[in-house]
Amino acid sequence: MTYSITRRAVLGITAAATMVFAAGVAAAQEKIQLRMSTVATDSDQRTVALAEVFGPGVAAFANYEPHYNGVLFKQATELEAIARGNLEMAIISAQELASFFPEFSVFTAGYLHRDAAHQVAVFNNALMDPFKKKVEDELGVKLLTVMYLGRRQLDLRMSRAELDVKTPADLAGVKLRMPGTDAWQFLGSALGANPVPVAFGEIYTSLQTGAIDGQDNPLPTNKDSKFYEVTKQIVMTSHLVDLNYLALSLDAWNKMTPEQQAATQKAADDAAALGRERQLKLEDDLVQFFKEQGLEVYTPDVDAFRTQVQAAYLASPYAESWPEGIVEAINAAN
């Protein structure tokens, strides 16, 4: 009798242990799903850095699943997708945020950020806290880090003999592709052009057919998407030291332990830093590449562009939504 009881007890304990072990294995396998949507390609410096650094940095507790070229969600629809719970991550622009929160338009203003390092200083400054909080509270989106996209230049179909751009007046009537949000369209107008909203995936064909005369993007994006194949000149206006934010669903963030959150934040910052370093070097190298492809690359009267663009913003309704003293605080960040 004693043996029988002991044996049943042992069997019971073994079964219980097996169930606990199985439950533990199942829990370990239930990683947080992090689908990331972007219109960028898989060879973009930002997406490459995310694949090389961010993915491995969160692999112990999350599955990083990137989707490129706008195949999962179209440009400017990612924020709504995250807010609805249909997406976990995206690379988003300040222009897209400005369509929800007008005060974000200050970060879309031409000739405001000085360089890549200044972008990081601004993002990490206390001046950004109310901006970040509003995005979390109203959209359920956490801005993890700032990513350097590059200095945006003008890429035109016409040769310099046909159109020599020295000042904003020379862009009169030029059909310049800009993303579809109001903030982007305003920037195109401020530069002196006729902005046309065209989806990113349609830029190449639109340039090829003449539906648009040009587009604006950093040099690495120009090369990545092969826009140089259907254009003849690049005007180095550097009108926007462009940035993106790496956005994460607040729901996904809240599923993480404090240790996992710290690891996620570090992975995001490290990936952004690597992408920034590579992008800066690539920008410097690409001028010669485009010249070798037969494009004319030159610098216009940047002071004339800066004066017109800044005056346009300060006189616009956008400036009315900017918090008092924000421009001075951005200028002082270092």
mmCIF file of all heavy atoms in Angstrom, residues 219 282-295 297:
data_model
loop_
_atom_site.group_PDB
_atom_site.id
_atom_site.type_symbol
_atom_site.label_atom_id
_atom_site.label_comp_id
_atom_site.label_asym_id
_atom_site.label_seq_id
_atom_site.Cartn_x
_atom_site.Cartn_y
_atom_site.Cartn_z
ATOM 1 N N LEU A 219 20.262 62.190 -51.339
ATOM 2 C CA LEU A 219 20.993 61.496 -52.397
ATOM 3 C C LEU A 219 20.944 59.973 -52.270
ATOM 4 O O LEU A 219 20.798 59.278 -53.285
ATOM 5 C CB LEU A 219 22.446 61.981 -52.433
ATOM 6 C CG LEU A 219 22.662 63.475 -52.729
ATOM 7 C CD1 LEU A 219 24.156 63.774 -52.854
ATOM 8 C CD2 LEU A 219 21.919 63.904 -53.991
ATOM 9 N N LEU A 282 27.684 58.047 -47.061
ATOM 10 C CA LEU A 282 27.125 57.772 -48.376
ATOM 11 C C LEU A 282 26.797 59.065 -49.109
ATOM 12 O O LEU A 282 27.055 59.200 -50.315
ATOM 13 C CB LEU A 282 25.885 56.900 -48.235
ATOM 14 C CG LEU A 282 25.303 56.277 -49.502
ATOM 15 C CD1 LEU A 282 26.360 55.457 -50.231
ATOM 16 C CD2 LEU A 282 24.107 55.415 -49.157
ATOM 17 N N GLU A 283 26.238 60.025 -48.401
ATOM 18 C CA GLU A 283 25.920 61.314 -49.020
ATOM 19 C C GLU A 283 27.165 61.959 -49.620
ATOM 20 O O GLU A 283 27.130 62.487 -50.732
ATOM 21 C CB GLU A 283 25.298 62.257 -47.994
ATOM 22 C CG GLU A 283 23.850 61.977 -47.692
ATOM 23 C CD GLU A 283 23.257 63.013 -46.757
ATOM 24 O OE1 GLU A 283 23.782 63.189 -45.644
ATOM 25 O OE2 GLU A 283 22.274 63.670 -47.141
ATOM 26 N N ASP A 284 28.245 61.919 -48.868
ATOM 27 C CA ASP A 284 29.491 62.529 -49.343
ATOM 28 C C ASP A 284 30.016 61.806 -50.589
ATOM 29 O O ASP A 284 30.529 62.439 -51.521
ATOM 30 C CB ASP A 284 30.548 62.490 -48.237
ATOM 31 C CG ASP A 284 30.216 63.417 -47.079
ATOM 32 O OD1 ASP A 284 29.417 64.351 -47.285
ATOM 33 O OD2 ASP A 284 30.748 63.191 -45.981
ATOM 34 N N ASP A 285 29.873 60.486 -50.611
ATOM 35 C CA ASP A 285 30.407 59.697 -51.721
ATOM 36 C C ASP A 285 29.558 59.791 -52.990
ATOM 37 O O ASP A 285 30.076 59.611 -54.102
ATOM 38 C CB ASP A 285 30.522 58.219 -51.323
ATOM 39 C CG ASP A 285 31.537 57.980 -50.221
ATOM 40 O OD1 ASP A 285 32.378 58.873 -49.999
ATOM 41 O OD2 ASP A 285 31.480 56.907 -49.573
ATOM 42 N N LEU A 286 28.265 60.060 -52.835
ATOM 43 C CA LEU A 286 27.352 59.943 -53.969
ATOM 44 C C LEU A 286 27.431 61.082 -54.985
ATOM 45 O O LEU A 286 27.014 60.910 -56.130
ATOM 46 C CB LEU A 286 25.910 59.805 -53.467
ATOM 47 C CG LEU A 286 25.535 58.410 -52.982
ATOM 48 C CD1 LEU A 286 24.124 58.392 -52.422
ATOM 49 C CD2 LEU A 286 25.649 57.400 -54.121
ATOM 50 N N VAL A 287 27.932 62.224 -54.569
ATOM 51 C CA VAL A 287 28.041 63.336 -55.518
ATOM 52 C C VAL A 287 28.851 62.902 -56.734
ATOM 53 O O VAL A 287 28.439 63.109 -57.887
ATOM 54 C CB VAL A 287 28.669 64.580 -54.853
ATOM 55 C CG1 VAL A 287 28.992 65.634 -55.919
ATOM 56 C CG2 VAL A 287 27.726 65.169 -53.820
ATOM 57 N N GLN A 288 29.982 62.265 -56.497
ATOM 58 C CA GLN A 288 30.816 61.794 -57.600
ATOM 59 C C GLN A 288 30.116 60.697 -58.391
ATOM 60 O O GLN A 288 30.203 60.648 -59.624
ATOM 61 C CB GLN A 288 32.158 61.280 -57.062
ATOM 62 C CG GLN A 288 33.135 60.853 -58.149
ATOM 63 C CD GLN A 288 33.472 61.972 -59.120
ATOM 64 O OE1 GLN A 288 33.548 63.146 -58.720
ATOM 65 N NE2 GLN A 288 33.644 61.630 -60.396
ATOM 66 N N PHE A 289 29.395 59.822 -57.684
ATOM 67 C CA PHE A 289 28.669 58.747 -58.373
ATOM 68 C C PHE A 289 27.684 59.321 -59.383
ATOM 69 O O PHE A 289 27.622 58.867 -60.541
ATOM 70 C CB PHE A 289 27.921 57.871 -57.365
ATOM 71 C CG PHE A 289 26.942 56.919 -58.002
ATOM 72 C CD1 PHE A 289 27.362 55.714 -58.532
ATOM 73 C CD2 PHE A 289 25.581 57.237 -58.079
ATOM 74 C CE1 PHE A 289 26.457 54.833 -59.138
ATOM 75 C CE2 PHE A 289 24.677 56.367 -58.682
ATOM 76 C CZ PHE A 289 25.114 55.167 -59.210
ATOM 77 N N PHE A 290 26.899 60.316 -58.974
ATOM 78 C CA PHE A 290 25.896 60.876 -59.877
ATOM 79 C C PHE A 290 26.546 61.600 -61.055
ATOM 80 O O PHE A 290 26.031 61.563 -62.182
ATOM 81 C CB PHE A 290 24.955 61.804 -59.110
ATOM 82 C CG PHE A 290 24.017 61.080 -58.188
ATOM 83 C CD1 PHE A 290 23.957 61.402 -56.839
ATOM 84 C CD2 PHE A 290 23.210 60.060 -58.647
ATOM 85 C CE1 PHE A 290 23.106 60.729 -55.975
ATOM 86 C CE2 PHE A 290 22.351 59.373 -57.795
ATOM 87 C CZ PHE A 290 22.306 59.707 -56.463
ATOM 88 N N LYS A 291 27.661 62.247 -60.805
ATOM 89 C CA LYS A 291 28.371 62.897 -61.910
ATOM 90 C C LYS A 291 28.846 61.854 -62.915
ATOM 91 O O LYS A 291 28.785 62.069 -64.132
ATOM 92 C CB LYS A 291 29.547 63.696 -61.361
ATOM 93 C CG LYS A 291 29.143 64.969 -60.616
ATOM 94 C CD LYS A 291 30.367 65.726 -60.106
ATOM 95 C CE LYS A 291 29.957 67.019 -59.414
ATOM 96 N NZ LYS A 291 31.132 67.774 -58.883
ATOM 97 N N GLU A 292 29.273 60.718 -62.419
ATOM 98 C CA GLU A 292 29.722 59.635 -63.300
ATOM 99 C C GLU A 292 28.563 59.040 -64.103
ATOM 100 O O GLU A 292 28.776 58.467 -65.179
ATOM 101 C CB GLU A 292 30.402 58.540 -62.483
ATOM 102 C CG GLU A 292 31.736 58.968 -61.886
ATOM 103 C CD GLU A 292 32.297 57.950 -60.912
ATOM 104 O OE1 GLU A 292 31.590 56.943 -60.632
ATOM 105 O OE2 GLU A 292 33.419 58.151 -60.415
ATOM 106 N N GLN A 293 27.350 59.186 -63.578
ATOM 107 C CA GLN A 293 26.160 58.722 -64.302
ATOM 108 C C GLN A 293 25.682 59.744 -65.332
ATOM 109 O O GLN A 293 24.701 59.518 -66.040
ATOM 110 C CB GLN A 293 25.020 58.428 -63.321
ATOM 111 C CG GLN A 293 25.360 57.421 -62.245
ATOM 112 C CD GLN A 293 25.897 56.123 -62.790
ATOM 113 O OE1 GLN A 293 25.269 55.497 -63.641
ATOM 114 N NE2 GLN A 293 27.066 55.704 -62.307
ATOM 115 N N GLY A 294 26.387 60.870 -65.422
ATOM 116 C CA GLY A 294 26.047 61.885 -66.414
ATOM 117 C C GLY A 294 25.167 63.017 -65.907
ATOM 118 O O GLY A 294 24.775 63.891 -66.683
ATOM 119 N N LEU A 295 24.831 63.022 -64.614
ATOM 120 C CA LEU A 295 24.001 64.093 -64.077
ATOM 121 C C LEU A 295 24.850 65.321 -63.753
ATOM 122 O O LEU A 295 26.028 65.212 -63.393
ATOM 123 C CB LEU A 295 23.277 63.638 -62.805
ATOM 124 C CG LEU A 295 21.975 62.860 -62.998
ATOM 125 C CD1 LEU A 295 22.261 61.456 -63.526
ATOM 126 C CD2 LEU A 295 21.190 62.777 -61.690
ATOM 127 N N VAL A 297 25.506 68.112 -61.181
ATOM 128 C CA VAL A 297 25.281 68.321 -59.754
ATOM 129 C C VAL A 297 25.906 69.652 -59.376
ATOM 130 O O VAL A 297 27.105 69.863 -59.566
ATOM 131 C CB VAL A 297 25.919 67.185 -58.922
ATOM 132 C CG1 VAL A 297 25.597 67.387 -57.442
ATOM 133 C CG2 VAL A 297 25.421 65.824 -59.407
#
